[in-house]
Amino acid sequence: MNSDDRLRQRASRLLSQVATRSDRLINEGLAQADARKWHYAVLASLQDFGPASQAALSKRTGIYRSDMVGVLNELTQRQLVERAPDPDDQRRNVITISTAGRRQLRRLDKVLDALHDELLAPLDAAERDQLVRLLTRLLDHHDAPGS
């Protein structure tokens, strides 16, 4: 067995290489749409799960709390989200997606659909679904308490 074969048989290495290529493709594609992947994550989370505090958004999206403030500042400046004092705790804000944010999310969904088609081009629809299911299962396992 030569080293190329050994390296190509390591799932961790393959996942890492695909993730690197995926990040580059997604970051460049979203940049052309004047967006970043964290913008999409926040808008999608707000649309799918409703208004949230900064801390809850951080937990939902995996964006570090220290980075979340900057992301929310950008989205607020673009009027894609709205901040309002939490009626239950005036020390924190509740973040809500705006009408413009919902429009931007629909645009970004289309951009990402095209980028995913490019990334997953060698796979047919059934293989793409299977890949997503397998990756989700891996993430769920490693995100479970005690993992």
Side-chain angles (χ1 to χ4, degrees):
M1 177 186 306
N2 68 40
S3 63
D4 285 340
D5 292 335
R6 182 174 288 124
L7 292 175
R8 291 187 64 85
Q9 291 178 14
R10 297 290 178 192
S12 59
R13 180 172 169 80
L14 295 171
L15 285 167
S16 176
Q17 289 181 322
V18 170
T20 298
R21 287 169 175 82
S22 174
D23 274 351
R24 186 177 317 120
L25 178 70
I26 299 303
N27 288 332
E28 289 172 1
L30 287 174
Q32 289 178 6
D34 193 28
R36 297 186 309 129
K37 65 183 177 182
W38 296 134
H39 295 168
Y40 181 81
V42 169
L43 293 174
S45 175
L46 290 170
Q47 180 65 32
D48 292 348
F49 301 105
S53 67
Q54 290 178 195
L57 276 173
S58 179
K59 187 178 261 190
R60 283 184 196 170
T61 61
I63 300 171
Y64 292 115
R65 284 183 178 196
S66 57
D67 295 331
M68 181 60 74
V69 173
V71 172
L72 291 175
N73 286 341
E74 292 171 9
L75 293 173
T76 301
Q77 286 175 334
R78 296 173 184 211
Q79 299 180 338
L80 301 176
V81 300
E82 298 166 353
R83 287 180 176 154
D86 185 334
D88 297 328
D89 184 348
Q90 294 295 311
R91 296 171 296 171
R92 67 179 180 196
N93 289 315
V94 173
I95 314 303
T96 307
I97 190 170
S98 68
T99 301
R102 283 190 285 282
R103 279 194 305 271
Q104 176 70 345
L105 180 59
R106 285 191 298 273
R107 283 192 290 273
L108 294 179
D109 277 333
K110 290 176 184 173
V111 168
L112 285 173
D113 287 346
L115 293 169
H116 287 149
D117 283 345
E118 183 178 340
L119 177 68
L120 302 174
L123 305 179
D124 64 32
E127 290 170 323
R128 291 176 185 199
D129 289 344
Q130 181 181 23
L131 177 63
V132 169
R133 282 193 311 274
L134 292 170
L135 291 172
T136 300
R137 199 160 106 203
L138 284 169
L139 282 174
D140 289 348
H141 170 78
H142 291 289
D143 284 344
S147 293

